[in-house]
Amino acid sequence: GAGVSQSPSNKVTEKGKDVELRCDPISGHTALYWYRQSLGQGLEFLIYFQGNSAPDKSGLPSDRFSAERTGGSVSTLTIQRTQQEDSAVYLCASSDRIRNNEQFFGPGTRLTVL
Amino acid sequence: GDSVTQMEGPVTLSEEAFLTINCTYTATGYPSLFWYVQYPGEGLQLLLKATKADDKGSNKGFEATYRKETTSFHLEKGSVQVSDSAVYFCALSKAAGNKLTFGGGTRVLVKP
């Protein structure tokens, strides 16, 4: 079946612009996660959605970062007023309680802020 | 807070050599432990996991044993292949379905 998909695969933007990154989880997965992979910080957790519960936003690095998950499916990560240090690969993952909560990762969106 | 420490790479090996990647963790309670692999140009994939002390996870010839006394989860493979060249990440989660805390990753290069 279809895996986790993310779009765009690459995004180049200018400092100060806003960007939106999209994640389509595996159908039926109730949990959705965003992570960031950067040279300086490694792989770090950003935000986690589980069903209709309030999201765990504890990993968001600043208030310029926000995320939504509409209808319990697709999620959008928004970065406002991008900075060069936001350059990274943004990874999305989803999981399903029935399959022991294994997280399946998407291919990522490579964000470059000039 | 919780953390995972793994040996820095790159690790360069010849085919059929023995591979060990050390991983230690700091966490309260009883986390689940994971090894993820990222092959060149591909996304992160779960390689193996262990959910309680003394459990051994295994997959594709790789093994790792959850050692609570040493807070470790070292990854081993007896005979590596060129196709095992990848970046390996050790990770933990505090509860089922919870967020993952990753180590820094170890790049492994296997030469023919």
Side-chain angles (χ1 to χ4, degrees), chain B residues 41-65:
Chain B
E42 297 185 18
L44 271 173
Q45 303 173 27
L46 178 64
L47 181 59
L48 53 84
K49 68 179 182 182
T51 57
K52 61 182 186 296
D54 299 325
D55 267 3
K56 177 186 284 188
S58 61
N59 187 23
K60 299 182 180 180
F62 290 89
E63 292 184 341
T65 301

Side-chain angles (χ1 to χ4, degrees), chain A:
Chain A
V4 177
S5 61
Q6 294 185 244
S7 61
S9 55
N10 280 284
K11 176 73 176 177
V12 179
T13 191
E14 294 180 348
K15 177 181 173 181
K17 301 283 190 182
D18 298 351
V19 295
E20 286 189 352
L21 312 180
R22 177 187 167 103
C23 172
D24 281 271
I26 294 172
S27 177
H29 279 194
T30 57
L32 187 147
Y33 315 76
W34 284 97
Y35 296 89
R36 179 168 70 173
Q37 186 173 21
S38 59
L39 280 177
Q41 302 297 322
L43 257 167
E44 51 181 346
F45 164 78
L46 296 177
I47 187 169
Y48 159 49
F49 297 89
Q50 174 59 59
N52 294 321
S53 302
D56 176 354
K57 303 180 182 180
S58 60
L60 295 179
S62 77
D63 58 8
R64 297 186 295 104
F65 288 72
S66 62
E68 290 185 340
R69 188 177 186 194
T70 53
S73 181
V74 170
S75 177
T76 302
L77 177 69
T78 301
I79 309 173
Q80 296 179 311
R81 305 181 302 282
T82 52
Q83 303 295 311
Q84 289 184 331
E85 61 263 28
D86 300 334
S87 296
V89 177
Y90 289 81
L91 298 172
C92 177
S94 68
S95 71
D96 171 9
R97 289 184 188 278
I98 295 174
R99 290 197 60 178
N100 297 320
N101 291 298
E102 176 184 341
Q103 294 185 31
F104 294 84
F105 282 80
T109 294
R110 181 175 298 277
L111 174 66
T112 303
V113 182
L114 301 177

Side-chain angles (χ1 to χ4, degrees), chain B residues 15-19 77-81 84:
Chain B
E15 214 166 15
E16 299 184 2
F18 185 88
L19 170 68
K77 185 172 184 181
S79 176
V80 293
Q81 305 299 313
D84 293 324

